């Protein structure tokens, strides 16, 4: 039996800004773009990895979320503490230079971490933390 990570979810508060970041800055392909009742879900992923996707989702779409929970999520997104994802590349410094040339919120420049990886960090337009590490 094989289990793979097929999709993960990150919230967005501006679908067009999220699309511009993940498609235009990171170079992900758009696999689906669905609207419903004024909300929008966008599925993106690396072009050479069709079985792995990130679904950019409106955080308030879940009907089980209370107004208080929605307020907390919105506050955490604004602080950049709600969600994130770790990505990897074979050219961390080259990707960092490319991303930094755009309008990107840099959290950490490429750094050799004491736990054995080299990585950098950005925030996407919704405040999600995007860590990118160098593949060995």
């Amino acid at each position: 039996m094989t289990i793979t990570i097929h999709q993960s979810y990150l919230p967005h508060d501006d679908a067009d800004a999220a699309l511009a970041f993940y498609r235009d800055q990171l170079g992900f392909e758009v696999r689906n773009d669905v609207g419903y009742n004024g909300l929008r879900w966008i599925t993106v992923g690396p072009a050479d990895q069709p079985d792995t996707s990130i679904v950019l989702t409106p955080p308030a779409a879940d009907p089980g979320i209370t107004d208080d929970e929605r307020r907390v999520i919105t506050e955490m997104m604004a602080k950049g503490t709600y969600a994130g994802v770790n990505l990897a590349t074979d050219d961390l410094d080259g990707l960092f230079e490319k991303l930094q040339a755009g309008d990107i919120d840099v959290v950490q420049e490429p750094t050799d971490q004491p736990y054995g990886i080299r990585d950098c960090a950005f925030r996407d337009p919704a405040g999600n933390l995007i860590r990118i590490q160098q593949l060995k």
Side-chain angles (χ1 to χ4, degrees):
M1 175 189 310
T2 301
I3 298 176
T4 62
I5 297 175
H6 183 63
Q7 295 178 325
S8 60
Y9 289 78
L10 287 177
H12 73 75
D13 54 4
D14 180 332
D16 291 331
L19 183 60
F21 178 81
Y22 286 94
R23 181 192 60 204
D24 303 337
Q25 297 291 325
L26 290 180
F28 285 177
E29 68 179 13
V30 178
R31 298 183 180 150
N32 204 0
D33 190 340
V34 178
Y36 178 75
N37 281 345
L39 302 174
R40 195 166 156 201
W41 291 258
I42 304 167
T43 304
V44 297
D48 62 345
Q49 297 174 40
D51 296 331
T52 302
S53 300
I54 296 173
V55 181
L56 305 168
T57 181
D62 187 333
I65 295 176
T66 67
D67 289 341
D68 285 342
E69 291 168 332
R70 189 169 290 115
R71 180 187 48 76
V72 169
I73 289 170
T74 301
E75 290 172 358
M76 291 180 72
M77 286 176 65
K79 288 175 52 180
T81 57
Y82 183 66
V85 66
N86 287 359
L87 306 174
T89 181
D90 60 357
D91 182 10
L92 179 66
D93 293 308
L95 179 58
F96 179 80
E97 286 182 28
K98 175 187 169 200
L99 294 173
Q100 192 177 32
D103 186 21
I104 300 292
D105 180 10
V106 176
V107 175
Q108 174 205 301
E109 295 187 1
T111 303
D112 292 317
Q113 301 292 351
Y115 41 88
I117 65 168
R118 179 172 175 77
D119 68 353
C120 65
F122 298 89
R123 293 210 187 280
D124 75 4
N128 299 307
L129 184 63
I130 312 298
R131 297 200 73 86
I132 305 173
Q133 74 179 55
Q134 175 69 49
L135 287 173
K136 292 184 178 183

